[in-house]
Amino acid sequence: MFTRESGRRGAGVLERMRNLVDNVAEAFDGPAATRKDRLLENWTRIQEYYTPQRQDDLRRQDIRDTTIPHHLEGMLREVCSEILDETAQTEDQDGALAQALEFGACMEYLLQYHVLSDLVEFGEADEPRGMRKYVVRFFDSFVGAIPLGLLAESAIRLPLVAVMRQSLQVVETSPVTAVSGNGGEDRLGRGYHGVMSERAAVVLCHDLLQLIVTLFARLREHANMVHLFFDWGGGEGGNGSSGSSSDLAVAALRAAAAAGHTARGHELFLVHTIVEYLLAPGATGELAREALVLAVQ
């Protein structure tokens, strides 16, 4: 009896001590960080690399020698965690995501302060080396996670288009080594008759096509949103020429993209990218063909 009573009193004392320690820690450390706090912490750490005082160091660095990948992953983690919570609250009776343009504090910050546009600017100079591919991969994960309705937001859609266009320009201006026996088959696409000499360009091309595949997979959920990213030109597409061969179709798509036909300000560069690498060897060609299937669907 005495032992049991002493044990209960001892447990009560220990519990009060734990509460006291927790209260003291909270008083000195402040309240626990929110998702937005952690997002801002990661974003601030990335921005610190791009201060004027660090520009010279940045040009000499490889991204793997920085903490930028870690902080990009941390930003994605907070955004995705917030989306999961929002999803649980906005799921309709059929289990599909509600497309209301309501979002949490993390997403609101990204949109209000144009964080995605800043990321595209950081990637454009590719400083530190490899930054561009990490930005493309960030967008790939981001596009795959967000509610589909948010793709129409200009603070998301325009940076997304910009990073894809930027990446395509880098890939297409990279040196190419001709493949023996394929030199005369230019109509079959850049990926067929040559191999990019620089490994960085090969990796970027793969990441760009992966992003396009992710985007098309999302657009397949709601076909009415396709026009936000590319169009077939509107006027003469329905008539066309009498030729029906696949070569003529590919040539027509390439010509349309090269001519810069626009709809809502966006070139047909997505189609152009897919067509150019349909017959590329390995994973690059596989991704291009997957993107084509998704586009048709």
Side-chain angles (χ1 to χ4, degrees), residues 28-143:
F28 281 93
D29 297 338
T34 64
R35 286 196 188 106
K36 182 180 176 181
D37 292 334
R38 293 190 293 270
L39 177 82
L40 283 170
E41 175 68 18
N42 283 294
W43 179 230
T44 300
R45 292 291 172 261
I46 292 174
Q47 288 177 304
E48 288 173 353
Y49 281 95
Y50 293 90
T51 58
Q53 296 83 357
R54 301 185 67 171
Q55 288 303 300
D56 290 339
D57 292 337
L58 199 65
R59 294 186 186 98
R60 293 191 293 265
Q61 283 182 309
D62 187 283
I63 193 169
R64 291 171 295 184
D65 298 326
T66 72
T67 59
I68 291 176
H70 168 75
H71 294 305
L72 286 172
E73 183 181 348
M75 290 175 65
L76 276 172
R77 183 167 54 248
E78 301 307 328
V79 171
C80 291
S81 175
E82 179 180 86
I83 289 172
L84 285 174
D85 281 356
E86 294 292 323
T87 298
Q89 299 173 19
T90 59
E91 235 177 18
D92 62 22
Q93 294 180 350
D94 297 326
L97 290 182
Q99 297 301 331
L101 296 180
E102 297 180 2
F103 31 81
C106 291
M107 187 66 71
E108 182 178 7
Y109 182 86
L110 292 183
L111 302 187
Q112 182 177 356
Y113 292 96
H114 304 285
V115 171
L116 300 180
S117 295
D118 288 345
L119 276 177
V120 174
E121 288 185 15
F122 293 161
E124 186 171 12
D126 200 33
E127 293 176 356
R129 290 187 306 278
M131 182 63 178
R132 184 181 292 111
K133 70 180 179 183
Y134 274 89
V135 172
V136 173
R137 292 172 184 176
F138 179 94
F139 272 89
D140 180 43
S141 298
F142 184 77
V143 169

Side-chain angles (χ1 to χ4, degrees), residues 214-244:
T214 301
L215 174 61
F216 280 10
R218 297 305 313 277
L219 293 177
R220 189 175 58 173
E221 301 171 28
H222 203 311
N224 290 338
M225 297 186 68
V226 170
H227 73 278
L228 293 171
F229 295 92
F230 69 95
D231 207 329
W232 297 101
E236 303 172 0
N239 299 329
S241 65
S242 58
S244 59

